[in-house]
Amino acid sequence: MENFKISRIHTKLGIFRLSGIINNERGIKNISYISAEYMGTDGWYELNLQSEHTQNLLRDIQIEVLQHLA
């Protein structure tokens, strides 16, 4: 397991600030997020990690996050 912190990542779905833990088990990388924020017009907005919408959003940008961390 390895902690990560991304202060700013530009993705197809917007700009995010993310932190969490990346687990590389049996060659499969899994991300557990500790915090996630989205850049809106008035600054950073914290995302509710328990929300289904947020989970789907983070799943949609997972490949971009993994590429950024590589």
Side-chain angles (χ1 to χ4, degrees):
M1 288 196 280
E2 181 181 339
N3 291 339
F4 71 88
K5 189 170 192 175
I6 300 172
S7 59
R8 188 180 197 100
I9 181 172
H10 294 255
T11 72
K12 63 184 178 188
L13 298 179
I15 302 169
F16 294 87
R17 181 164 51 192
L18 307 167
S19 69
I21 300 168
I22 191 164
N23 186 7
N24 191 3
E25 190 173 309
R26 298 183 199 139
I28 300 172
K29 292 186 178 183
N30 183 35
I31 299 174
S32 298
Y33 290 96
I34 295 170
S35 69
E37 296 173 87
Y38 177 80
M39 174 60 85
T41 56
D42 293 329
W44 293 105
Y45 293 95
E46 187 171 355
L47 298 173
N48 177 359
L49 295 174
Q50 305 306 314
S51 157
E52 184 177 335
H53 180 274
T54 298
Q55 290 177 15
N56 290 335
L57 183 67
L58 294 173
R59 197 172 309 122
D60 287 344
I61 64 168
Q62 181 169 326
I63 292 173
E64 292 171 274
V65 173
L66 289 172
Q67 288 173 341
H68 181 86
L69 293 171

